[in-house]
Amino acid sequence: MAVLLEAIYGQDVRMLREAVLEYLRLKGFVLFLFDNLDRFWTPGGFTDDDAMIVVGLTESMQEIARKFRRKNLDFRWGIFVRSGVHEFLIRGMADYGKLAVQSLEWTVGLS
């Protein structure tokens, strides 16, 4: 752990950032996916506090994508949530139409 902290804080952060961005340019794009967020939610269901976390995560991903675009990098992201959680979030958003939403549904069959 000490070696990692020394590597991060013992160097110029700007120089480290540029090195990471150069590496990402080689890859062409960044794909950042979030899944299993509901593992940490209370058994009682999805709360307003949980919604704030997801909204904050969404806003953070949008800001990161803007910063990457300024550096001519393609940053794509996705957050996987249950349909009930999605509906809960949509009801509370004033500008819900601004985000691209894709729905993926599946069932688990018993063989």
Side-chain angles (χ1 to χ4, degrees):
M1 184 70 161
V3 174
L4 177 62
L5 291 174
E6 183 178 324
I8 293 172
Y9 296 110
Q11 301 286 327
D12 179 19
V13 173
R14 187 173 306 152
M15 193 171 68
L16 289 171
R17 182 182 302 125
E18 288 305 317
V20 169
L21 291 173
E22 281 304 312
Y23 173 76
L24 295 175
R25 279 189 188 92
L26 292 173
K27 297 300 178 183
F29 69 91
V30 176
L31 179 60
F32 206 95
L33 302 174
F34 287 92
D35 194 11
N36 288 331
L37 293 175
D38 58 345
R39 285 183 33 193
F40 303 104
W41 293 334
T42 62
F46 190 74
T47 66
D48 288 338
D49 291 336
D50 298 324
M52 293 289 289
I53 291 170
V54 175
V55 169
L57 180 59
T58 300
E59 290 172 354
S60 296
M61 291 294 98
Q62 290 173 320
E63 180 62 24
I64 291 170
R66 277 191 291 274
K67 287 181 178 184
F68 271 57
R69 272 194 304 276
R70 281 187 234 132
K71 298 288 186 179
N72 296 320
L73 284 165
D74 187 9
F75 182 84
R76 304 172 196 179
W77 59 276
I79 301 173
F80 296 89
V81 294
R82 296 185 310 257
S83 58
V85 170
H86 177 260
E87 294 302 320
F88 185 93
L89 291 169
I90 293 299
R91 276 182 279 159
M93 293 179 70
D95 57 350
Y96 69 91
K98 292 183 179 179
L99 293 176
V101 176
Q102 295 293 321
S103 177
L104 172 67
E105 297 183 28
W106 72 88
T107 58
V108 177
L110 298 175
S111 301

